[in-house]
Amino acid sequence: IGGKLNRLDVDRAKLAIETHIGTPLGLSVMAAAEAIIRVANSKMAGAIRLVSIERGHDPKNFSAMPFGGGGALHTGALMKEVGLQSALVPRYPGINSALGCTIADMRHDFVQTINGMLGSLDIDDLDRRMVQLAQQGLAMLKTAGVTFGGTALQFELDMSYQGQTHTVDVPVPLELRGDTTKVSEAAVRAAFETRYLAVYGRLLDNIPIRVLNLRVSTLGKRPKFDLTLLAPAAGVDLAQARRGTRQVWFDGAFHETGVYERLPLSVGEIVPGPALLEQPDATVFIEPDLTGCVDQFGNLVISRK
């Protein structure tokens, strides 16, 4: 992590791997270490397949976005194992989640159980619940100590036909006007039929509709942050960012690998693999058959050569 982990005891790490993994499996310490990484990569690749291939999506149409201090060390392996088109490494991977918390809209979600048939639902009671939750959320935004550019409300119902196990989330287009949302049975029914038709392609005639849950979300909209401000104002070229070389083990052997300081690299700078890019919060590894390019936001886009 930017050369700041000098206290890491490499010899003890090797001894632990050799004792607990290498010797029992008849592997050298480096082969055992590589096997550990391959198992980790396989687990992550399986998780990606679960939300892509198994849902009918072609991974070639998607890019990975690794974050965290070590996420970008696995990028190349995941691209090749899953068949991803490319990867986008954020400017500051190690604090990417924290950055998102500071620039994303603030949101409070509320849910209450209704569990009643739409035809006999107390609409006035539903309206009171919507107003109460909306006002509660707006009050929380006011006391958050954050400057918002505006606020918004979202009203949603979990609904189904009677006898069905699964529900559909039904957005209901309503506004808070004083102490009412003006919700009506007709508006709820129309919203359900629109949503159900979009999900399943047809409606079920003569079957009562059930309302399971009420969901209300309040959103405090932060002013949009210009991410180009994160890019280096006046960067350096690859030669200037080079720190030297390091022996890096991959594909069963040590390879001489260029080491670079990532953050000063200019927008548009190309980094051919193999390469290690270091920064205070993360380390990025670009494999030999991949290349990286710094985009206008300071992100590193990794793709095949």
Side-chain angles (χ1 to χ4, degrees):
I1 308 297
K4 304 300 183 183
L5 287 182
N6 294 328
R7 66 179 181 272
L8 180 64
D9 194 324
V10 176
D11 291 334
R12 288 191 177 185
K14 286 183 177 180
L15 179 61
I17 292 174
E18 183 177 27
T19 302
H20 299 288
I21 306 294
T23 299
L25 296 179
L27 299 173
S28 69
V29 63
M30 297 308 298
E34 187 172 26
I36 293 171
I37 294 175
R38 286 182 175 175
V39 170
N41 289 338
S42 180
K43 288 285 188 180
M44 288 185 280
I48 294 174
R49 293 190 189 97
L50 186 65
V51 297
S52 58
I53 296 173
E54 295 188 21
R55 295 186 181 181
H57 303 295
D58 187 348
K60 292 180 181 178
N61 298 326
F62 296 87
S63 296
M65 195 187 81
F67 57 92
L73 293 172
H74 303 270
T75 300
L78 294 178
M79 285 175 58
K80 289 182 281 190
E81 189 162 344
V82 181
L84 294 164
Q85 179 186 33
S86 60
L88 186 147
V89 183
R91 177 71 168 162
Y92 300 103
I95 59 170
N96 193 64
S97 296
L99 178 63
C101 287
T102 61
I103 66 177
D105 295 339
M106 185 175 291
R107 174 171 175 153
H108 295 289
D109 295 308
F110 304 88
V111 59
Q112 284 190 3
T113 301
I114 303 295
N115 197 21
M117 306 308 297
L118 178 59
S120 58
L121 199 64
D122 186 337
I123 296 298
D124 290 336
D125 178 64
L126 178 62
D127 184 47
R128 283 191 294 270
R129 293 188 189 210
M130 288 180 166
V131 171
Q132 178 187 13
L133 296 180
Q135 290 178 341
Q136 182 180 345
L138 292 172
M140 293 174 69
L141 291 176
K142 286 182 180 180
T143 59
V146 178
T147 300
F148 298 113
T151 58
L153 293 169
Q154 294 178 357
F155 298 95
E156 193 173 275
L157 296 168
D158 295 336
M159 302 178 66
S160 68
Y161 284 110
Q162 186 177 27
Q164 291 182 328
T165 302
H166 301 289
T167 62
V168 292
D169 53 309
V170 180
V172 185
L174 299 170
E175 295 181 3
L176 182 62
R177 299 177 180 177
D179 292 330
T180 181
T181 63
K182 299 292 185 181
V183 65
S184 66
E185 180 183 335
V188 173
R189 186 179 300 275
F192 171 74
E193 291 180 347
T194 298
R195 179 63 173 154
Y196 196 92
L197 191 62
V199 173
Y200 295 107
R202 66 189 183 96
L203 301 177
L204 305 182
D205 297 329
N206 303 318
I207 299 180
I209 299 170
R210 180 179 294 276
V211 180
L212 277 299
N213 299 306
L214 163 65
R215 299 181 185 274
V216 178
S217 300
T218 56
L219 292 89
K221 298 185 176 181
R222 283 191 171 103
K224 297 305 178 185
F225 179 75
D226 184 4
L227 291 175
T228 59
L229 296 174
L230 299 179
V236 302
D237 61 26
L238 194 62
Q240 292 172 306
R242 188 178 178 92
R243 290 180 170 179
T245 62
R246 186 179 305 156
Q247 291 290 323
V248 178
W249 180 281
F250 55 88
D251 293 335
F254 278 109
H255 299 266
E256 192 79 11
T257 302
V259 181
Y260 304 89
E261 189 176 359
R262 178 194 172 186
L263 295 182
L265 286 171
S266 300
V267 171
E269 198 67 28
I270 303 296
V271 186
L276 281 173
L277 285 81
E278 297 182 336
Q279 60 188 93
D281 62 305
T283 301
V284 183
F285 177 51
I286 303 177
E287 298 199 8
D289 54 346
L290 303 176
T291 186
C293 179
V294 181
D295 71 7
Q296 61 179 327
F297 305 105
N299 302 315
L300 186 71
V301 180
I302 299 177
S303 56
R304 292 175 174 82
K305 289 182 178 178

